[in-house]
Amino acid sequence: KEPTEEPDEFVQRVTSFGDIIQPHIKKMVIIGALVMAGLIAWKAVGWRHEKKAKRATAAYVTAMKSVEAPVIGADDPPPPESPIAPLTYPTEEARQTASLTALSELRSKHGDIALAKLAGLTEARLLLDTGKYDEALAAFQKFSKTSAPEPLRMAALEGAAYSLEAKAMANEDASASQAGLEKALQAFANLQPAEGGPMRDYSLYHQGRLLITMGKIEEGIAKFKQVLTEQPESPLKLTIEARLAYLETGAPAKDSE
């Protein structure tokens, strides 16, 4: 009797594995195709995002060039010669108009990019400078609610209060102007109500300014002195001391800010 031939172990394992996966081959092919499609889509999204970010960066740079461009009128000396002609504007109004247009385009086309969102603070300041107080207020308030760094958000809150103040001061109706100043006063108080918090000295200083503008001299002086008490090393110290010297003695003092 011929001895029974044992099957090769490797061949047997491969055959068994083939028998196991045979019913699942179709599923595996589908899953593999989905994985490949996912990887391709992920790469495509990354490429598109990178391309969009580059366009947003270019638009941001263009807008900032306009914002920072010098105003050179007909009677001003020309800019120094350069291989690349510098961007200039004949008037401040022309510069502001061009800058607001560029920033508005940046916001509308690339508003979901973080860099474009940061430009919102610059746009708000320009709106304030051009006397568009309601638009400036809305822009400052919107920026203050973003995820921007805290110093920038605090600056936006200060800008919102400035917008209320400027609008109130521009109102020719005395009662309406006074009511507007009350709103601005509260906005400056809300800038930093906590003792020791960031921009606390600016919050108190602005409140002092407005109280004096509103005719509440003693209350304004008290706010100024509060700054010197809470933050004796505040960068506003010299400005406040000059104002106090004038208010308390009537002697004119040069304001350092």
Side-chain angles (χ1 to χ4, degrees):
K1 184 177 179 181
E2 295 292 333
T4 303
E5 184 176 351
E6 295 291 333
D8 183 88
E9 183 179 1
F10 174 76
V11 174
Q12 186 178 28
R13 288 182 179 179
V14 171
T15 302
S16 300
F17 180 71
D19 293 338
I20 292 171
I21 68 171
Q22 182 65 35
H24 306 288
I25 287 180
K26 187 175 181 180
K27 292 180 182 179
M28 293 174 66
V29 170
I30 294 174
I31 292 173
L34 289 174
V35 171
M36 286 299 297
L39 289 173
I40 293 171
W42 177 74
K43 292 294 290 182
V45 169
W47 176 78
R48 288 180 62 187
H49 180 76
E50 182 180 358
K51 189 175 181 181
K52 189 173 182 179
K54 287 181 179 178
R55 288 198 299 265
T57 302
Y60 178 86
V61 171
T62 299
M64 291 303 107
K65 284 182 178 179
S66 182
V67 171
E68 298 170 2
V71 174
I72 300 179
D75 299 329
D76 295 324
E81 293 185 5
S82 172
I84 301 176
L87 177 63
T88 63
Y89 292 100
T91 64
E92 180 64 22
E93 182 180 358
R95 185 189 69 84
Q96 290 173 341
T97 301
S99 299
L100 284 173
T101 300
L103 288 167
S104 177
E105 184 175 350
L106 173 65
R107 172 169 41 81
S108 62
K109 292 185 177 180
H110 309 286
D112 57 335
I113 301 296
L115 187 63
K117 292 179 181 178
L118 284 177
L121 187 58
T122 302
E123 184 177 11
R125 286 171 175 163
L126 280 171
L127 289 168
L128 177 57
D129 290 342
T130 55
K132 299 177 180 179
Y133 305 128
D134 289 333
E135 293 180 51
L137 176 62
F140 278 126
Q141 290 176 334
K142 180 180 179 181
F143 188 89
S144 70
K145 297 174 183 176
T146 66
S147 58
E150 185 182 33
L152 296 181
R153 287 186 281 111
M154 295 289 290
L157 290 175
E158 185 182 29
Y162 270 130
S163 301
L164 290 169
E165 179 184 358
K167 181 180 179 180
M169 296 297 290
N171 198 320
E172 297 180 358
D173 182 272
S175 60
S177 178
Q178 190 75 2
L181 288 175
E182 290 286 355
K183 290 182 180 180
L185 180 64
Q186 185 59 53
F188 280 123
N190 293 339
L191 174 61
Q192 184 52 267
E195 183 176 346
M199 293 191 72
R200 169 67 170 176
D201 49 348
Y202 282 85
S203 175
L204 293 171
Y205 169 72
H206 287 311
Q207 291 175 67
R209 278 194 316 102
L210 284 193
L211 286 167
I212 290 169
T213 299
M214 297 163 68
K216 302 177 181 181
I217 308 300
E218 294 302 321
E219 293 181 48
I221 289 175
K223 290 294 182 183
F224 286 156
K225 290 184 176 180
Q226 190 175 348
V227 176
L228 300 180
T229 300
E230 290 188 12
Q231 298 190 25
E233 301 302 320
S234 168
L236 295 171
K237 179 180 179 180
L238 293 179
T239 299
I240 291 173
E241 288 177 342
R243 287 181 178 270
L244 286 173
Y246 176 79
L247 290 166
E248 293 180 332
T249 67
K254 186 177 180 181
D255 197 335
S256 63
E257 184 171 309

